[in-house]
Each structure stands twice: as C-alpha cells, then as structure tokens.
Amino acid sequence: MGSKKTDITSAPPALRRDPYEVLSVSRDSTDQEIKTAYRKLALKYHPDKNASNPEASELFKEVAYSYSILSDPEKRRQYDSLGFEALDVESMDMEIDLSNLGTVNTVFAALFSKLGVPIKTTISANVLEEALNGTVTVRPLPVGTSVSGKVEKQCAHFFGVTINEQQAEAGIVVRVTSTTQSKFKLLYFEQDANGGYGLALQEDSEKSGKEDSEKSGKVTSAGMYFLHFQVYRMDSTVNALAIAKDPDAAFFKRLEGLQPCEVSELKAGTHIFAVYGDNFFKTATYTIEALCAKTYEDTTEKLKDIEAQILRKRNELRQFETEYRKALARFQEVTNRYSQEKQSVDELLKQRDSIHASFTVTKMVSYLSNGSTSKVIGDDSKAESPVEDGGSDGKDKSSKKKWFNLNLKGSEKKVLPRWPSPRWFCKCQSLNRLLNQSDGQ
C-alpha cells in the first residue's frame, strides 16, 4: 500500500566514496538539488551513451549507488550518523537489474521468486533515460476510468492523470491489478523544468485476494494513495535477512515493513504514472484505474483507522518482543538445567546400581574360590543335625530300618546285624533246663 521513493541501486563499488562528493552536492543540500545533480550525472555516464568507455559504466553505478543513499531520508540519516557501516546492515535491500542478467541468472531469480523469496529489482536505465528526456508516449487516463493492456518485460506504459482542484482536495487513488498475477511496478514521475520526467515513487506488485477474479481467486496489485494524510506501504523485503535466520522474527518483524509514503497529496494538474513490466520472461497483463476518493469517504476513514491500529500494534509488538526474548532465554536456561539435572540423577543412580552390583559380584567370587570348603561345611551340618537334636524324627527314621536289611545303596553306609547280649543267652539256657526236666518226668 502506498508508495516509496525510487531505489535505483547497483552493487556498491569496491572503493566507496562519500555520496555527497560523488554527486558534487553539500551535506545540507535539498532533495531537489540532489535529484537534479543525479539526473545530470546519470545522463552523462549512462552506459548506452558510453558503450566504448568501460569507466563510464563504473561511474554510472557509483552515481546510482550514491543517489540511492541520499534520496532515501532514512538511509541518508543513517549515513550521516554512522557512515557506510550503518548501511551495510541493510544490505538485503540491494536490487538487481533484470536487463543486465544472463539467461541462467534470470532463471535462478525467477525460481527463487516463485518459491516466495522477495527479490527487489530495479527499473531499466533505458526507461528512466527516455522519461528524463521526455521522449515517452503518455496516454490519457481520466479520473473514474480504467485502461487495460500488456507491457513487455523491462518496458513501461505511461499515463497522464489530470485532476482539478476539487479532486485534488478530495484525494486521488491510482491502482493497478493483474488477474494473471503478473509482476509489475507502479511508477510516479515528477515533471522537471527541462520538460522531462524524473522517477519519484514506485510500488511493487504483491499478491492479494480478490473475489471477482475468475481464474484463481487471487490477483497481483499495487496502489498509490494521495489522501491528505499519512498513508503507508508494505515492503516485504524489510528485515528479510533477519527473518530468514530467525523464525520468530517472521512474526515480530512482520509489521516493520509498513513504511510511510513520502507523498501524501497531489496538486491540481496532470500527473504522470507508469506501469513497468517486471516479469522475468513474459509480458505483464494489467488494468490501471484512477479514482477520486470523494466517493470512497467511508473507505478512506477505514484505511486511516486500520493503519493507526497497525502502528499501535507494531509498537506493542516491539515491547512484547523484548519480553518474549527474555522469557525465551529464561526458558532455554531452565530447559538446559532440566537436562543437566536429569543427566546428573541418572548418573548417580547408575553409580549406586554399580556399587550394589559390586557387592554381589564379590560374594560370588568368594564362593567360587572357597567352593569345596563351603560345600563340606554344608554337608556336615546336615549329617550332624539329627544326632545333635536328638529328636524323634531321627529315631523314627532309624527304627524303620531292619537290622537284617543288607541291600543298601552303595552311597549309604552298611549296617551290621546286632548280636544278642550275654544276658539273653543265660535266659535261654535256663529255659532249656526247665524243658528237659519236664520231658524226664
């Protein structure tokens, strides 16, 4: 939403000079003075005019790089404060010129873009030069109408929107949509004293939903809103490097892409807009329309209100991110301690089990080393226990054995028969004498 100042950047030179020195302007120069100096130098060193002079191409890149810094208020402030070091942090804002890419590099760039990687591209130098020279064809675009067309890649179609005092006071909206989801840029040019047009604002197309799209339900669109109050644009490439490295940043930095539009109103007169084909290989299909905001007063108020809410939410998220990072660090600290304590407990219990096992192992080794002695002691104790006890169990077992039972097992002791005592023999002799006497009688 909204628009941004053009950012015609090339790769920064290996040896970077002071941007003010490159453009031959002072540090207190106005934006218009910087823009005028850039246009003169860009035309002087443009590669198309200096095909046989390779140094001119390098100077042109240096001029473009210097202008990309000084034309952006935020970058200029950062450079004035900290020099190039502050800008190196934002190196992901670098743009590429598709017209200078080879086929292979263009294929890779198209692939990354298809995968959702935001790739910023510059506007062809030929288009900018033709606009500066005033040699472009400008088609009329009356307020309240729309025009459809197809523009070749790295080319532009220019349109003139003429507004009166009432329309300028009410506000103007210029929007471009593509039902084929083409990539394009919406450009706004300011007319200079020489009759040419200098690029002032640009807005890259983004995918958005639209109910009346017949094919996929989605379109690509871009818009510029001149409504007499501060409007904002959403730049998806802001903090792209931080988001790629930190998944949490994808949430917390999401609203950081909301950037203020430098131009909030238009004066009565004719204003030049253009649709620039930004596809990698094919033409871009588009529909451009210019609207007076007077008939969209309710929508205008809703836009103003919702962007105010987004800004407040962004401030809240900045504070919440600090709290979240602290809580996350504390959580990681506690989680790490939990893992360490768990490991410590496991190790202590393991050592305890090992000590228990060592006692068991020592006893077994003792039995094995003294096995014969232990076994004899055990057998003796079993053999002697009945005698020592003198119990009935031992007597019963011995009484059941017959004295004449000689068929004992080899492992058991043989028991000899018990002979009669002498007293028994005496009784037998007395009995025999009594029997003989009775027979004699």
Side-chain angles (χ1 to χ4, degrees), residues 314-419:
R314 182 171 66 180
N315 292 331
E316 293 176 3
L317 284 180
R318 287 171 178 172
Q319 297 178 359
F320 176 58
E321 182 180 10
T322 302
E323 299 175 6
Y324 174 81
R325 298 291 183 186
K326 291 180 179 179
L328 182 61
R330 176 59 180 164
F331 172 77
Q332 292 175 344
E333 179 183 350
V334 172
T335 303
N336 293 337
R337 181 178 176 183
Y338 172 84
S339 301
Q340 294 173 359
E341 296 293 350
K342 183 177 181 299
Q343 183 179 1
S344 177
V345 170
D346 292 342
E347 184 64 26
L348 290 173
L349 293 177
K350 183 178 180 181
Q351 292 179 12
R352 178 178 178 272
D353 292 341
S354 177
I355 293 174
H356 283 186
S358 66
F359 278 115
T360 304
V361 171
T362 302
K363 188 174 182 180
M364 292 178 63
V365 171
S366 176
Y367 285 169
L368 292 175
S369 61
N370 303 316
S372 58
T373 305
S374 301
K375 185 174 182 181
V376 172
I377 294 173
D379 292 342
D380 291 346
S381 62
K382 289 181 180 178
E384 296 174 356
S385 58
V387 178
E388 293 175 355
D389 294 341
S392 60
D393 293 341
K395 292 181 180 181
D396 293 341
K397 290 181 180 179
S398 62
S399 64
K400 290 180 181 179
K401 295 181 181 180
K402 301 298 181 180
W403 67 271
F404 52 83
N405 186 8
L406 301 179
N407 296 324
L408 300 175
K409 294 181 180 180
S411 60
E412 297 180 356
K413 295 181 181 181
K414 293 182 178 181
V415 180
L416 295 177
R418 187 176 180 181
W419 295 102

Side-chain angles (χ1 to χ4, degrees), residues 92 130 309 415:
M92 281 297 291
E130 290 176 358
Q309 293 183 42
V415 180

